[in-house]
Amino acid sequence: MRVSKENSRLVAIQRRRRLDEKEAASSLGLSVRTLQQWRLKGGGPPFLKLGAAVRYDEEVLECWATSRTRANTSDPGPAAA
């Protein structure tokens, strides 16, 4: 059976792990309350809102965290460039 490129993309998306806010906070070493405040005020990682449920895509969360890596305290990071 041949799987189209679109179908294989959908399967890959479906297999991606979605973390609830407790798992996401634990993964980042933060409190759930911090994630909640970031969702309200902005500045936090992208999230999915599925009805009342909040989920974080594991890959997106990892990329977001990695993008905040700095060389020193005066390094503004790539967003400021």
Side-chain angles (χ1 to χ4, degrees):
M1 179 178 182
R2 216 179 143 137
V3 178
S4 73
K5 196 173 197 176
E6 181 65 23
N7 284 344
S8 56
R9 184 173 179 270
L10 289 173
V11 169
I13 290 171
Q14 290 170 348
R15 288 186 182 161
R16 290 169 69 161
R17 185 142 183 258
R18 308 284 195 243
L19 306 177
D20 64 27
E21 65 181 356
K22 288 181 184 180
E23 293 170 320
S26 176
S27 171
L28 294 171
L30 301 169
S31 71
V32 169
R33 187 70 185 130
T34 296
L35 286 180
Q36 291 169 343
Q37 289 176 348
W38 283 347
R39 285 198 308 269
L40 180 66
K41 297 177 183 176
F47 61 93
L48 300 162
K49 186 74 171 161
L50 307 168
V54 173
R55 296 291 182 264
Y56 293 87
D57 182 294
E58 191 171 39
E59 289 180 32
V60 172
L61 193 63
E62 182 62 33
C63 289
W64 180 85
T66 301
S67 74
R68 268 113 189 103
T69 300
R70 304 293 186 261
N72 55 58
T73 56
S74 61
D75 181 353

